[in-house]
Amino acid sequence: MNQTKTTFSPALLKATGKIEYGLTNDYMFRVLFQKNKKALTGLVCSLLHLNPEEITSIEITNPVEIGSSFSDKEFRLDIRLILNSHQQIDLEMQENDYHDWPERSIGYLCRMYDSLEHGEEYINAKPAIHIGILDYTPFPEHPLFYSKNQIMDVNTHRIYSDKFSLYVLDLSQIDLATKEDCFWQIEEWAKLFKATTWEEIKMIADKNEYLTETSNTLCDLYADKAVRERCLDRIEYNLRMKRYEDDLAQKLDDAGQQGQHLLAHALQSVAGGEQHSQHGVEGCVPDQIPCAVFQHHRLRRAGHQLYHPLRTCRHEQDSSHSHHDTVEIDVPHSAADAVGMVRAVVLGDVGRAGRGHRRQGHIREREELSGCGVARDDQRTEAVDAVLQNDGARRDDAAHE
């Protein structure tokens, strides 16, 4: 990397004390690298292991008006750019963990990759890279500071295509930086993003001209009242959404306790019933198990989270590193299918069962649940219904509070 010195601005030289809105604030991150193309170039060079002279052009395709207010709860603060008129890159800073990073990043990457005009040949598809800069560890069982993920053959490790890549920079794992990360000064960028005082900023920024450029621009933007207000807006919005997510998850946990004994009864029926002479275990299972709400440890392995559009799946890690999820599954099928699902839960074959039922649509997508629960003596899991029935409206209320 280029080591040419860039002088600190007079404002940065005078700056002291705590920084309220640093570079982990997604709005500050967004507008800073839009305003200073040289800083953006330096960051991209470090992350993609490029020399500055290899970059002939860099263009942001989704610019925003710096300082302007916004009310759209779906306002996206990722930076989409075209590198050297060919490479598509999506940069995103995310401070809060909503337990959906793999799905979110894949969604962004797929939309970006699918950019061909009607009639264009697939061979002309532009390479697409999504780079997530996170202040949390998306896969706690396998922490990494900086990782590159691609589609590959799981047996031979042959890369299927180099046009489709996901990079993740974990700011909470700087201690795991490799020699290669240090060579490209990625750990210095991470330290700059995490800095909380101007003294720290100046100490780190002295390492190279791109870090200095970034720090000078941060100081300039920090002096802009409108920018600070937008940064505060983002903090408040993220806090509201985080509280909402946690509140919903807690209520589903509570409702799940009520449904526990219902699923347990169904499992006992399968495990302890008499086998039918012709149909084996199916003879002792009701024709349908309309819905089961259950909790199961280690249901989610790294990279295998069951999807639910209403975010009823909650992931936690306790002191023993076991995982705990509350998952809502609809199983309106024959006894054979019910047995398959119960067998998956009892025997731990959750990876295959979860994926199969997701493909078949057994996990409802954006559909209100009515009368769910294991049908036994007219019992229903009203508590879960009550939590989910108005979820869409409550999510909008929380976002626009």
Side-chain angles (χ1 to χ4, degrees), residues 304-401:
H304 295 93
Q305 180 177 11
L306 291 178
Y307 168 79
H308 194 291
L310 297 182
R311 294 203 44 71
T312 61
C313 180
R314 182 189 182 192
H315 172 229
E316 296 177 349
Q317 185 175 16
D318 58 28
S319 58
S320 63
H321 304 293
S322 64
H323 290 74
H324 178 80
D325 289 70
T326 300
V327 181
E328 178 184 271
I329 294 182
D330 184 32
V331 194
H333 296 278
S334 67
D337 286 337
V339 171
M341 173 58 77
V342 173
R343 178 184 180 278
V345 176
V346 174
L347 299 182
D349 191 13
V350 294
R352 183 173 60 203
R355 290 191 296 271
H357 282 72
R358 175 176 171 179
R359 285 195 301 270
Q360 297 174 31
H362 298 185
I363 299 178
R364 292 188 177 184
E365 296 187 1
R366 306 193 183 282
E367 182 178 337
E368 179 179 300
L369 303 180
S370 60
C372 67
V374 178
R376 182 179 70 87
D377 299 331
D378 298 323
Q379 293 183 348
R380 298 289 184 268
T381 55
E382 292 88 350
V384 177
D385 285 341
V387 173
L388 294 179
Q389 188 172 9
N390 297 314
D391 178 73
R394 292 183 65 244
R395 179 180 290 273
D396 290 340
D397 292 343
H400 292 93
E401 183 180 310

Side-chain angles (χ1 to χ4, degrees), residues 243-312:
R243 285 197 299 267
Y244 170 78
E245 298 283 351
D246 291 344
D247 179 64
L248 178 61
Q250 182 59 54
K251 289 184 177 180
L252 286 167
D253 264 355
D254 295 341
Q257 295 296 328
Q258 178 179 336
Q260 278 291 323
H261 70 283
L262 300 178
L263 179 63
H265 177 78
L267 294 174
Q268 291 170 2
S269 297
V270 173
E274 295 182 1
Q275 291 189 350
H276 191 279
S277 58
Q278 292 183 341
H279 303 292
V281 73
E282 290 188 36
C284 66
V285 183
D287 289 338
Q288 291 185 341
I289 301 182
C291 180
V293 178
F294 64 91
Q295 294 172 319
H296 182 62
H297 285 273
R298 292 213 175 272
L299 180 59
R300 179 183 186 269
R301 298 190 298 275
H304 295 93
Q305 180 177 11
L306 291 178
Y307 168 79
H308 194 291
L310 297 182
R311 294 203 44 71
T312 61

Side-chain angles (χ1 to χ4, degrees), residues 200-237:
E200 288 180 79
I201 288 284
K202 286 181 276 191
M203 185 182 304
I204 299 165
D206 198 44
K207 301 293 177 65
N208 72 51
E209 59 175 316
Y210 300 105
L211 297 172
T212 303
E213 282 282 345
T214 302
S215 302
N216 285 337
T217 305
L218 174 63
C219 192
D220 292 342
L221 290 170
Y222 198 82
D224 188 324
K225 181 181 178 182
V227 170
R228 293 199 308 273
E229 288 176 348
R230 299 295 79 76
C231 288
L232 179 60
D233 289 344
R234 289 300 295 177
I235 289 175
E236 292 176 345
Y237 168 79

Side-chain angles (χ1 to χ4, degrees), residues 57 82-89 123-128 163:
S57 66
I82 301 294
L83 187 67
N84 295 341
S85 303
H86 180 65
Q87 180 80 61
Q88 300 179 96
I89 299 175
I123 193 65
N124 296 325
K126 291 184 175 69
K163 287 189 172 184

Side-chain angles (χ1 to χ4, degrees), residues 188-203:
E188 298 297 339
W189 281 104
K191 291 175 182 177
L192 188 70
F193 293 152
K194 291 284 288 181
T196 57
T197 67
W198 291 111
E199 288 78 9
E200 288 180 79
I201 288 284
K202 286 181 276 191
M203 185 182 304

